Amino acid sequence: MSAQVIDGKQLATTIDEETAAQVATFTHTTGITPCLAAVLVGEDPASQVYVRNKRKACEKVGLTSQLHRLPATTSEDELLTLIARLNAAAAVHGILVQLPLPRQIREARILDAVHPLKDVDCFHPENVGRLSQGRPRFLPCTPHGVQQILHRSGIPAAGREVVIVGRSEIVGKPLAMLLMAKDSPTCGPTAANATVTVAHSRTANLAQVTRRADILIAAIGQPKFITAEMIKPGAAVIDVGINRTAAGLCGDVDFEPACEVAGAITPVPRGVGPLTIAMLLINTLTAAHEQQASALG
Ligand code: GUN
């Protein structure tokens, strides 16, 4: 068997066309062009590429963007001062602080300082809390991208076994919340209502657990960690990993052997990555909507 390889780039292009139309309507009716402010601290080469790609994507759908670059030696207080300025700026609707931050800066202090209405990453405790209670303001970008991939590829989640390998705050945990919810505001109940297992580095008999999955999601950040033997024949395999190795970019799934077992699979690159950015653009538009609504009282 050879798995259907899902084209994340193509899906993202389709979604971006929809977003561009919504941005045009919003701008036409309000006179406001939604704006994303990206904050990049230090010189991490991967982060520089991510931020450049996010800004290019903004331009493609009619959003504006700003880039705020700070040196690697920036103090926590200096970064907090910039966040406070962006929180107060009426022309800025979304704030994205690119991670990782330099070691001298406590990530939680910075992410907690981003105004909840401008928190397009959905990292603020208020927004994570809302998500966990089933009344989200923003949907977290990578988890929402995974849900969109499943939905738009005709792979239902409702009533099925989903195993997520990885329990990070950015992917594993919020993805579990999205897929076990009763409904999805963007994809409907068929894309939610799953039976979700979150496995991790301390899970016993991991292969036994992953082989139960109708949908297996790899988000551990270890190259080729998921081998063909860990996959149930016919399962959908979503690879969230982006690992830089001597041989180039690779995912958390050992791709070629996995293709012989899986029913559908996402590649790396051109899999989940483009969807993450597409969801960020949607959140920036949502942020502009929310701020306009709150200004109108
Ligand atoms: N670094 C890696 N992934 C992400 C993400 O989703 N958001 C931000 N801000 N930084 C990241």
Side-chain angles (χ1 to χ4, degrees), residues 227-288:
T227 58
E229 299 71 43
M230 298 169 81
I231 300 168
K232 172 162 130 179
V237 178
I238 308 294
D239 191 349
V240 182
I242 303 178
N243 305 291
R244 286 172 171 75
T245 68
L249 268 195
C250 90
D252 289 352
V253 177
D254 193 4
F255 184 74
E256 277 85 15
C259 283
E260 297 304 312
V261 185
I265 190 165
T266 61
V268 177
R270 298 179 71 92
V272 174
L275 272 294
T276 295
I277 298 184
M279 298 306 111
L280 173 69
L281 306 178
I282 291 175
N283 281 351
T284 304
L285 175 59
T286 301

Side-chain angles (χ1 to χ4, degrees), residues 96-218:
L96 177 137
V97 182
Q98 186 64 33
L99 304 179
L101 290 167
R103 294 159 53 125
Q104 73 276 15
I105 298 176
R106 285 167 291 181
E107 195 177 284
R109 267 202 88 201
I110 302 305
L111 300 182
D112 289 3
V114 172
H115 194 291
L117 288 177
K118 298 192 177 187
D119 172 36
V120 287
D121 262 324
C122 196
F123 289 164
H124 192 284
E126 179 180 317
N127 288 324
V128 177
R130 292 186 66 116
L131 176 68
S132 80
Q133 292 182 344
R135 48 193 189 120
R137 174 184 284 135
F138 298 109
L139 298 175
C141 299
T142 301
H144 187 205
V146 170
Q147 192 174 40
Q148 287 279 356
I149 286 178
L150 294 171
H151 175 60
R152 288 174 187 252
S153 303
I155 300 165
R160 302 180 80 207
E161 292 273 355
V162 172
V163 176
I164 302 168
V165 186
R167 54 180 159 182
S168 69
E169 304 295 335
I170 297 188
V171 184
K173 267 195 219 175
L175 181 55
M177 287 196 267
L178 285 188
L179 295 179
M180 73 170 134
K182 290 184 174 166
D183 200 1
S184 157
T186 53
C187 303
T190 311
N193 289 292
T195 301
V196 179
T197 301
V198 181
H200 47 76
S201 54
R202 303 285 292 270
T203 297
N205 303 317
L206 180 62
Q208 220 169 301
V209 175
T210 57
R211 273 200 301 268
R212 285 210 312 259
D214 301 309
I215 299 169
L216 177 59
I217 297 161

